[in-house]
Amino acid sequence: MRRVLLGNPLMISATMTCLNMRERCGYLWYRMTRRKTIESSDTTTALNRYLSTFHLTFMGVGATVGVGIYVLVGVAAKEYAGPGMLISFILAGIVTLMNALCFVEFGSRIPKTGGSYTYVYESMGEIMAFLVGWIILLGYLTSGAIGCRAWSGYFDSLFDGAIHNKTVDIFGTINLGPPFSHSLDLVAFCFELTVLFIVSLGIHASAKVNFVLSMVSISVLLFVTIMGFIFGNIENVINKDHGGFFPFGVKGVIVATSACFYAFQGFDVICLSAEESKTPLKSIPRAILFELIIVTLLYAGSSFSLIMLAPVYLIDTKAPIPSAFAVNNIQWAKYVVTIGPVLGISNLSLLNLYSTSRHAYCMANDGLFLKVFGVVHKKTQVPLVGVMSIGIFVALSSLFLDIADLVQFNVLGLFVINIIISSNIVILRSRTSDSSAVGDSERKTMASKCQISKIIDKFSVVFLIFVLVVISLMASLLIQRTPVLSSQPNITALCTVILFWLLIVAISFIIKLKLKPPTGNSFKVPFVPLLPVIIITTNMMLLVYAIDLDGLITFSVLILIGLVIYLVLIIFSRDVMPRETVISEEEVGLMSLEQES
């Protein structure tokens, strides 16, 4: 046998090729499934730990109060729900609070930058972490450009569109079709360069500017709330002559909730600031809860006052709050509230660039993005290359592109990430307790258990979560496409939806039997798996009402591009598999020279 193999190079080559393919597939599987190990006591970082709970709270407020309340409130009221938009804001706030509880649990025990990306990497593996990170990165980039364009529009409105008209006179129009804009937006370009300069100065400058702008935004919304109660009319809320409080029905309220949900997003910037927080394990959970309470109260008050000030059919969707004052001939107040969106979106853009650079910094340090984005400047202690590169990219995008169509991608990405994070909570509960909380005798007992049964047990929980997500999707699609919520529902569809919900309850009960009691002193999401299941089904319902076919195709294409990038990163990776999973050339040689049995 030995002589045959030594004398047959083709057989040796085929054996080597087969084993190399096996090694590559093994390495790919190892990379896709490996999880990041993070110790709660690990607080080492190259960034500057400057932020307190106070700073983090107002960073969250600044990252949340922006395009959502100043623009989407008009669309939600006039086109989706009418005065019922008030219920939509309350529902969106409740859903966001439930989602935030999952982030609080992760943030209270993981003191590292990265937010959703880091949490998924620590619990679900690298491939899921990369996809979540990719979705978040694209969301930040498109949000940055959209924010710049929105800021430019509001700023130009103070001069009755003179800047835009002058730009068209000098440079002409662009007729290249989507995604290019019809004209250059120099104001948006210059604005983003200004934001880039501020963020490059360091976290001290960013935090101080953010606090000032956040206070101005809060003051404007408080001003709107007070003026609404002074000059408003409750008859506008009752809306008796134009369909009542729910002119578009329950479905309109659900669609408006999906739009209002986007207005509450921004607390993830708090999670991304973990390595720049003085006490991340305490400050991050507190800041998330404080921020959501402040924003919910501001939104509820200002949206109610908006409806009181003007009937929904007279609201201008492009500038809803200023138009409400114009309807009441309060011109001076109109100019005051116009300044609010300009400063609010300024703060939002600043924190967007901050968040994007920190997110890219985290992925680069994990080898899932270009390494240069992980380099921290010694003097300013910020990832300067990342800030400069991302800022210039966003500036150029806002100059040439009209990417408003990608807003749906952002909304879909938010719902998908929330579903993944809430699923993560259930999966973590099904796993063995943390090794730090387990004694030596208990550790030996666990090690002696059958490994196959442990794998099956883990897989079964993941499988049940997957089935639950699919059933939630089917139920949501059925509710959206059939008259289940109408006064005369389709009986067959209604019975099918009820059957789906009974299956969800049954699966939740089975999952409950497989969960282990949580350990440690950090915050834990209560009522698991009940609360995560409610979060999954609610986000799925809002996702179905928020997306259309074009948005789904865009999302799928961008996800496929992300997977290609991930494979390229693995191919050129210098990481090495654990020794026990690598087949070396010496082992191949020994196999080739094996003696006859």
Side-chain angles (χ1 to χ4, degrees):
M1 180 68 174
R2 182 184 300 178
R3 292 178 181 177
V4 173
L5 287 172
L6 288 174
N8 194 339
L10 292 177
M11 186 175 292
I12 296 176
S13 176
T15 304
M16 288 286 293
T17 302
C18 181
L19 291 171
N20 284 337
M21 287 297 296
R22 179 182 171 188
E23 179 183 342
R24 289 169 185 167
C25 291
Y27 178 68
L28 178 61
W29 178 253
Y30 158 73
R31 284 294 303 266
M32 291 172 62
T33 57
R34 72 175 182 178
R35 291 186 284 128
K36 188 175 183 178
T37 302
I38 303 174
E39 298 292 339
S40 59
S41 59
D42 182 13
T43 57
T44 57
T45 180
L47 303 176
N48 182 14
R49 291 197 177 275
Y50 171 76
L51 302 174
S52 63
T53 303
F54 179 82
H55 292 118
L56 291 171
T57 300
F58 280 94
M59 285 181 70
V61 172
T64 303
V65 178
V67 178
I69 185 62
Y70 290 123
V71 178
L72 293 180
V73 64
V75 177
K78 189 172 184 177
E79 299 180 4
Y80 295 155
M85 176 263 298
L86 303 175
I87 305 298
S88 298
F89 262 110
I90 295 173
L91 292 176
I94 293 172
V95 174
T96 304
L97 180 60
M98 291 191 299
N99 291 328
L101 290 176
C102 299
F103 283 83
V104 169
E105 174 166 336
F106 282 106
S108 64
R109 66 182 185 84
I110 300 177
K112 289 293 181 180
T113 290
S116 306
Y117 159 78
T118 300
Y119 305 158
V120 172
Y121 203 168
E122 191 259 354
S123 56
M124 296 187 75
E126 185 173 283
I127 181 64
M128 288 299 297
F130 177 82
L131 289 177
V132 168
W134 176 247
I135 292 171
I136 294 173
L137 186 62
L138 290 176
Y140 279 139
L141 292 175
T142 54
S143 295
I146 292 170
C148 290
R149 285 251 166 183
W151 188 93
S152 173
Y154 264 103
F155 183 78
D156 196 22
S157 68
L158 296 175
F159 304 95
D160 296 324
I163 300 176
H164 171 75
N165 296 333
K166 191 66 175 178
T167 303
V168 173
D169 291 341
I170 296 176
F171 297 99
T173 59
I174 302 174
N175 299 312
L176 299 178
F180 291 94
S181 176
H182 294 295
S183 61
L184 298 178
D185 198 332
L186 293 176
V187 175
F189 178 78
C190 296
F191 167 68
E192 180 62 21
L193 293 182
T194 305
V195 170
L196 187 157
F197 174 74
I198 295 173
V199 176
S200 300
L201 295 177
I203 189 62
H204 293 79
S206 300
K208 292 175 181 177
V209 173
N210 162 73
F211 175 73
V212 173
L213 295 179
S214 295
M215 292 304 297
V216 174
S217 295
I218 291 173
S219 300
V220 170
L221 292 181
L222 288 175
F223 173 79
V224 173
T225 302
I226 295 171
M227 294 294 287
F229 282 97
I230 295 175
F231 295 97
N233 186 352
I234 195 64
E235 293 297 325
N236 293 331
V237 179
I238 299 173
N239 197 31
K240 183 178 180 180
D241 298 329
H242 295 85
F245 191 73
F246 297 110
F248 298 94
V250 177
K251 279 195 174 183
V253 173
I254 297 176
V255 174
T257 302
S258 299
C260 295
F261 180 81
Y262 183 76
F264 281 89
Q265 302 313 300
F267 63 82
D268 55 328
V269 70
I270 299 174
C271 303
L272 286 167
S273 307
E275 291 187 34
E276 291 167 283
S277 170
K278 295 177 181 178
T279 55
L281 299 182
K282 294 181 180 180
S283 297
I284 290 177
R286 294 172 181 172
I288 290 175
L289 295 178
F290 292 159
E291 181 263 340
L292 284 177
I293 292 172
I294 293 172
V295 169
T296 302
L297 293 176
L298 287 173
Y299 282 4
S302 57
S303 59
F304 185 74
S305 294
L306 173 68
I307 299 298
M308 289 183 64
L309 282 169
V312 291
Y313 56 88
L314 294 180
I315 293 176
D316 182 3
T317 55
K318 294 182 180 179
I321 296 178
S323 69
F325 284 99
V327 169
N328 290 272
N329 294 318
I330 313 174
Q331 296 297 328
W332 63 272
K334 173 185 174 181
Y335 291 106
V336 170
V337 297
T338 301
I339 296 174
V342 172
L343 298 180
I345 297 173
S346 299
N347 201 17
L348 189 68
S349 299
L350 185 147
L351 291 170
N352 183 84
L353 179 57
Y354 167 86
S355 301
T356 312
S357 61
R358 270 44 173 193
H359 183 74
Y361 161 82
C362 185
M363 293 186 68
N365 284 340
D366 290 333
L368 298 180
F369 205 61
L370 299 177
K371 289 291 185 183
V372 69
F373 283 80
V375 178
V376 176
H377 192 271
K378 293 182 179 180
K379 185 176 181 180
T380 60
Q381 292 183 294
V382 298
L384 193 59
V385 175
V387 171
M388 299 290 289
S389 303
I390 294 169
I392 292 174
F393 177 84
V394 171
L396 291 174
S397 297
S398 63
L399 176 65
F400 292 106
L401 304 180
D402 183 8
I403 55 177
D405 293 337
L406 290 180
V407 170
Q408 275 203 346
F409 172 84
N410 291 1
V411 176
L412 179 57
L414 287 172
F415 289 128
V416 169
I417 290 170
N418 288 331
I419 291 171
I420 292 174
I421 291 294
S422 54
S423 301
N424 249 347
I425 295 295
V426 180
I427 293 172
L428 285 176
R429 290 287 198 279
S430 68
R431 288 179 178 156
T432 308
S433 304
D434 297 336
S435 59
S436 60
V438 179
D440 293 336
S441 60
E442 191 175 348
R443 191 179 293 109
K444 291 178 182 179
T445 303
M446 291 190 299
S448 64
K449 289 184 178 179
C450 177
Q451 296 297 321
I452 297 178
S453 65
K454 290 203 286 190
I455 293 174
I456 292 175
D457 184 54
K458 290 181 181 181
F459 172 78
S460 63
V461 173
V462 175
F463 177 74
L464 289 171
I465 289 292
F466 175 77
V467 173
L468 191 145
V469 170
V470 172
I471 293 176
S472 298
L473 175 61
M474 294 170 63
S476 301
L477 287 171
L478 194 59
I479 293 172
Q480 184 210 26
R481 297 179 180 275
T482 58
V484 175
L485 299 178
S486 65
S487 57
Q488 297 179 342
N490 184 305
I491 301 301
T492 303
L494 180 61
C495 292
T496 306
V497 170
I498 293 174
L499 177 61
F500 282 149
W501 280 102
L502 290 175
L503 286 173
I504 290 173
V505 172
I507 293 173
S508 302
F509 180 75
I510 296 172
I511 292 174
K512 175 66 176 177
L513 297 177
K514 292 179 174 292
L515 301 185
K516 297 178 174 65
T519 59
N521 298 322
S522 59
F523 175 84
K524 298 293 187 296
V525 175
F527 309 116
V528 176
L530 176 61
L531 186 57
V533 168
I534 293 175
I535 295 172
I536 292 171
T537 53
T538 305
N539 279 276
M540 187 64 72
M541 176 74 74
L542 296 177
L543 183 153
V544 168
Y545 275 92
I547 200 68
D548 57 18
L549 182 59
D550 292 338
L552 184 61
I553 292 174
T554 302
F555 184 83
S556 302
V557 170
L558 292 174
I559 289 297
L560 288 175
I561 293 173
L563 289 173
V564 172
I565 293 174
Y566 176 73
L567 292 176
V568 171
L569 288 170
I570 288 182
I571 291 173
F572 293 99
S573 174
R574 297 181 181 179
D575 290 351
V576 180
M577 286 181 63
R579 179 65 183 84
E580 61 270 16
T581 58
V582 179
I583 302 175
S584 64
E585 294 186 8
E586 290 80 8
E587 291 170 328
V588 173
L590 289 174
M591 293 176 64
S592 302
L593 297 174
E594 185 180 8
Q595 296 182 358
E596 287 183 302
S597 57

